[in-house]
Amino acid sequence: MKLNRNFTILLTGQSFANIGDVLYMVSIIYMIYELTGSAASAAFVPFIITSSMFVSNALTPLLMQRFNLKWLLAGSQIGKTALLFGLAYGMPLFSLSNYYFGFFIIGLIALLDGCAVQPPNR
């Protein structure tokens, strides 16, 4: 079966993005567990991500009425990228006294990521 070139590019890009998302989530869970030694704290990571994406999916249609979709998607992805770099460079600074700040950043990343994960029929 011959696939359309654009579809192949989209499929490849989405596959790499999904692999990156899984690696990001697993690495954050591992970091929190190693830092705290608490499985409950580590289990809080997927909860924060899912909750933030739920809120974002509820708010995005309201934002789409006010802002251009192209700028909304671009802004959310630029913000997500900046926060991911900030999280990556800030990881060595996390300790038991301030690891909860990581949950805040993870929530913001998921909130921005939820803006880009809208069903295509909107």
Side-chain angles (χ1 to χ4, degrees), residues 51-122:
S51 300
S52 296
M53 289 187 91
F54 175 77
V55 169
S56 179
N57 281 327
L59 293 177
T60 299
L62 300 174
L63 293 172
M64 286 171 55
Q65 292 175 355
R66 185 168 173 96
F67 299 106
N68 183 359
L69 179 61
K70 176 180 152 183
W71 291 108
L72 183 65
L73 291 174
S76 69
Q77 290 304 300
I78 289 169
K80 179 184 169 188
T81 302
L83 285 171
L84 280 169
F85 276 118
L87 182 65
Y89 288 115
M91 273 187 185
L93 303 175
F94 287 141
S95 65
L96 278 176
S97 63
N98 65 359
Y99 75 93
Y100 57 87
F101 185 68
F103 287 123
F104 179 71
I105 294 174
I106 292 165
L108 287 177
I109 291 169
L111 196 69
L112 292 174
D113 193 29
C115 290
V117 184
Q118 286 296 310
N121 61 353
R122 288 191 185 209

